Amino acid sequence: MMYALLFLIALQPGQKLGIISAMDIELALIKQDMQVEATDTINSRIFDIGTINEIPCVCVKAGIGKVNAAITAQLLIHKYDVAAIIFTGVAGGIDPLLDIGDIVISKKVVHHDYGQIVLDTFVPWDTMGFAADSSLVAIAVKAAGSVEFEEVPKKICKETGHYPQATVGTIATGDQFISSEEKRKWIEAIFHAACVEMEGAAVAQVCAVNNIPFVIIRSLSDLANEKADVEFELFAEYAAQTSNLIVREMLKIMKE
Ligand code: SAH
């Protein structure tokens, strides 16, 4: 058996792994590792088809937000028959114990902006969320344990000897860039989320209805508070690279 993945998520020979990001900076390093064999453009999306570590993959930038993510995930499933989807990207921190550069591996993903307005109160409807594939989560956890991270840069953490930490938790998704401490606290209180982003639950929902395993990997570019705009600009590239390191390592583990 060539791939550990064969046992773990039943990837049959010839079946492909889908890798999605929202932005170029997130997909860039993964694509550097890729032997591209063909490129298709469908619905304004560029699908690179090839191999990473000899594992057949299709890599694509979805664009930002839930609709973009859903369109892209469904195309990956329908047109490329991917056996699993990994999302790699950046997010805003919700759990106050997490810092910029830290990594969140999805246990489940929820829509935080889907629900009902009662008087002036928003009542969320997606309280259950969508569970990530436990084998892919296990591979991501193993990857986080074996990546040799560089020290977190001084501009992010003044202490020396600080390395990115990985956690498995809930990811909250909405069509909103969260830069509000009040809203951060609300998402923490209601969903007990580790981080917030704008695509994960859409990918998760599409995967759920198609019965396709998925995992979302995110590294924190900001802490979803009033400084988030500035921090995103400063740290998104660093966080995107950190998330990429995990996915890169996952693909090594899958090949073992
Ligand atoms: N000005 C940027 C905006 C990017 S939106 C641009 O035009 O490129 C932020 C992206 O990073 C989304 O894909 C989202 O998934 C993620 N993200 C990072 N921090 C976030 C936050 N605080 N709230 C919501 N999404 C966040």
Side-chain angles (χ1 to χ4, degrees):
M1 289 285 151
M2 242 172 114
Y3 314 128
L5 199 64
L6 278 174
F7 300 108
L8 293 165
I9 58 165
L11 188 75
Q12 302 300 323
Q15 273 191 321
K16 301 176 189 73
L17 183 67
I19 302 179
I20 314 182
S21 292
M23 300 179 288
D24 281 322
I25 51 164
E26 297 169 322
L27 206 63
L29 286 182
I30 278 293
K31 273 177 63 179
Q32 277 179 19
D33 290 338
M34 187 175 192
Q35 313 280 108
V36 179
E37 285 154 16
T39 300
D40 296 333
T41 303
I42 311 170
N43 297 147
S44 314
R45 281 148 180 79
I46 298 167
F47 294 82
D48 283 313
I49 306 119
T51 56
I52 301 173
N53 276 347
E54 294 170 38
I55 297 176
C57 291
V58 186
C59 293
V60 55
K61 181 185 81 166
I64 292 165
K66 296 205 287 189
V67 176
N68 276 330
I71 292 167
T72 308
Q74 189 62 57
L75 283 171
L76 272 178
I77 295 166
H78 241 116
K79 299 268 183 190
Y80 298 100
D81 193 25
V82 295
I85 291 180
I86 299 176
F87 190 106
T88 171
V90 306
I94 294 294
D95 180 343
L97 294 175
L98 300 180
D99 221 329
I100 289 166
D102 284 345
I103 298 133
V104 179
I105 298 162
S106 65
K107 184 177 171 65
K108 67 172 183 168
V109 196
V110 297
H111 294 278
H112 71 71
D113 61 349
Y114 177 68
Q116 179 176 1
I117 303 291
V118 182
L119 298 175
D120 59 355
T121 304
F122 176 70
V123 181
W125 282 351
D126 180 15
T127 46
M128 298 294 288
F130 300 90
D133 180 72
S134 55
S135 299
L136 287 171
V137 170
I139 295 171
V141 168
K142 194 171 175 207
S146 50
V147 169
E148 290 189 15
F149 292 110
E150 289 184 12
E151 246 182 73
V152 176
K154 290 283 168 301
K155 61 179 181 177
I156 296 174
C157 180
K158 288 189 182 63
E159 298 157 33
T160 48
H162 188 77
Y163 293 85
Q165 304 295 309
T167 183
V168 178
T170 298
I171 296 181
T173 304
D175 273 320
Q176 304 160 345
F177 182 83
I178 306 299
S179 49
S180 153
E181 177 62 9
E182 197 184 329
K183 186 77 177 184
R184 183 204 66 74
K185 282 191 181 144
W186 181 84
I187 294 172
E188 184 189 8
I190 302 294
F191 300 102
H192 312 290
C195 70
V196 65
E197 37 83 309
M198 302 175 67
E199 298 84 17
V203 171
Q205 187 169 353
V206 168
C207 286
V209 298
N210 288 276
N211 204 17
I212 296 291
F214 75 91
V215 68
I216 314 289
I217 311 295
R218 296 277 182 176
S219 171
L220 304 188
S221 53
D222 61 88
L223 300 179
N225 56 24
E226 277 71 1
K227 289 190 283 183
D229 282 296
V230 176
E231 291 185 332
F232 178 90
E233 286 303 319
L234 291 172
F235 306 131
E237 197 158 343
Y238 167 72
Q241 288 169 3
T242 307
S243 180
N244 256 315
L245 288 176
I246 300 289
V247 176
R248 205 177 177 192
E249 192 71 18
M250 287 178 75
L251 287 159
K252 279 193 201 150
I253 293 168
M254 287 173 180
K255 191 71 213 314
E256 275 166 13

